[in-house]
Amino acid sequence: MIRKHLCYILLAIVITSCSTNPYKNTEKVYDKQLKTLENQITSKEVQPIPSVSPVVIDTTYAQQLGIVKDTLSKTGSTILLNGINTEWIGTVNFNLRKPSFIIIHHTAQDSVQQTINTFTKTKTQVSAHYVISENGKVVQMLNDYLRAWHAGASTWGKNTDINSSSIGIELDNNGFKPFTEAQISSLVALLTKLKKDYNIPTQNILGHADIAPGRKQDPSALFPWKTLAEKGFGIWPDEILEEAPFDFKIEQGLRIIGYNTKNLSAAIMAFKLHYIQTDTTATLDRKTIDTIYSIYKKQVQ
C-alpha cells in the first residue's frame, strides 16, 4: 500500500515538472518591457533640445546689474544654438526615481569642469542631471529617470524627499554675478523639453532656496525668475498687487505655497529671494505680504 502511494506521489511530481508554465507568455512580455526600460535608462545617446525664441533677460533688477547680451558660440565640436544637442558625461552618484519637479541651482564653483569633477567623484556624494555653462553648453550627467543627489534635506509642501521626485539643473555661476543670456536661453530650451516630456506642473519649477529655506540661497537674487515665469516656467505675482485681506494668515499662506515655515524668518527670506529679489530680508512690509498673497492665490487656483 505504501509502495502504491509512493508511486502516485512520484507520478504527480513528474507531471508537475513536465507541465507548461502558465505565465510563460506574460513573463516574455515582462522581460521585453524590462529590456526596453533598461535600454532607455542606460542610453547615452545625444538628445536634441528644441529651438526656442530668443531669451532677453529684461527684469528691472537685471537691467540695474548691467547684464549684456551674449552670443552663442562653438565649444569644441558642439554647435551652440538654441537647438543644441547635449553632451553626455556620466555621474557616479544616483539611484531610481520619478521626476515631477525641476530644481534650479547655481554651482557656487569656478567652472563647469570643476563641477563635473565634483559630480564624478564618489567621495563628494553630490550630483545633478544637467549642468549649463555660461556660454550655453549643456552637459547631461544622469538619465532623467534616475535619482540624483542635488537637493539634500529639502521639503516642498508634504514632499520630504525632493531628490526622489525632481530633476536637478546646475547653472555654472558662483552666486555673485549675473547669469548670461546664452545660459538662460539654453535653460529655457531644456525646460521646454523636460516640462513636455514629464508633464511637470508650472508651479513645480523651483530654486534650491525655495525647498531649503535658511540652508541654501541658490540660485541667487540675480536669477531671472520673472523671465522664466513669462516663458511658462514657474509662477509670478501680479503686476498690480491686490491688497491681502486683513485676516490673511501669512505663515499658513507660505505653507500652502509649499514653503517649510518651521523657521518663519528663513521662509520669508527664501520667498523674497525668488519673488522680490531687491529685498531679501525677513522684513514683512506691505509689498511682501501682498506678494505672498498673490502667489498664494495662484497656487490654490
Side-chain angles (χ1 to χ4, degrees), residues 243-260:
E243 188 169 323
F246 177 76
D247 60 350
F248 175 62
K249 294 178 174 58
I250 296 165
E251 183 174 356
Q252 183 179 350
L254 285 168
R255 281 203 310 270
I256 290 172
I257 292 169
Y259 287 93
N260 181 341

Side-chain angles (χ1 to χ4, degrees), residues 46-57:
V46 169
Q47 298 294 321
I49 291 180
S51 297
V52 297
S53 57
V55 176
V56 178
I57 304 175

Side-chain angles (χ1 to χ4, degrees), residues 7 22 60 80 84 183 206 214-215 223 231 235 259 280 300:
C7 288
T60 302
L80 297 176
I84 65 173
Q183 191 172 45
L206 303 164
R215 187 173 67 85
F223 185 75
K231 297 287 184 180
I235 54 180
Y259 287 93
T280 58
V300 297

Side-chain angles (χ1 to χ4, degrees), residues 39-50 78 80 84-94 97 99 112 115-117 119-120 127-133 136-148 166-171 186 189-191 193-194 197-198:
N39 291 337
Q40 186 177 3
I41 289 174
T42 59
S43 172
K44 296 182 182 179
E45 296 299 319
V46 169
Q47 298 294 321
I49 291 180
T78 303
L80 297 176
I84 65 173
N85 291 333
T86 64
E87 177 187 353
W88 179 278
I89 301 176
T91 180
V92 296
N93 304 312
F94 64 90
R97 40 60 53 83
V112 167
T115 300
I116 290 171
N117 290 341
F119 291 170
T120 52
S127 58
H129 296 84
Y130 297 90
V131 182
I132 304 179
S133 69
K137 179 180 178 180
V138 179
V139 176
Q140 184 175 7
M141 300 196 69
L142 186 66
N143 189 286
D144 298 337
Y145 290 103
L146 301 178
R147 184 181 187 273
S166 65
I167 291 173
I169 300 176
E170 292 273 359
L171 303 177
S186 288
L190 180 58
L191 291 174
K193 179 181 186 300
L194 296 176
D197 285 351
Y198 306 111

Side-chain angles (χ1 to χ4, degrees), residues 188-220:
V188 168
L190 180 58
L191 291 174
T192 300
K193 179 181 186 300
L194 296 176
K195 184 179 178 183
K196 180 180 178 181
D197 285 351
Y198 306 111
N199 196 27
I200 293 174
T202 297
Q203 64 270 28
N204 284 6
I205 298 172
L206 303 164
H208 200 181
D210 293 313
I211 61 173
R215 187 173 67 85
K216 292 293 181 179
Q217 288 78 43
D218 58 307
S220 70

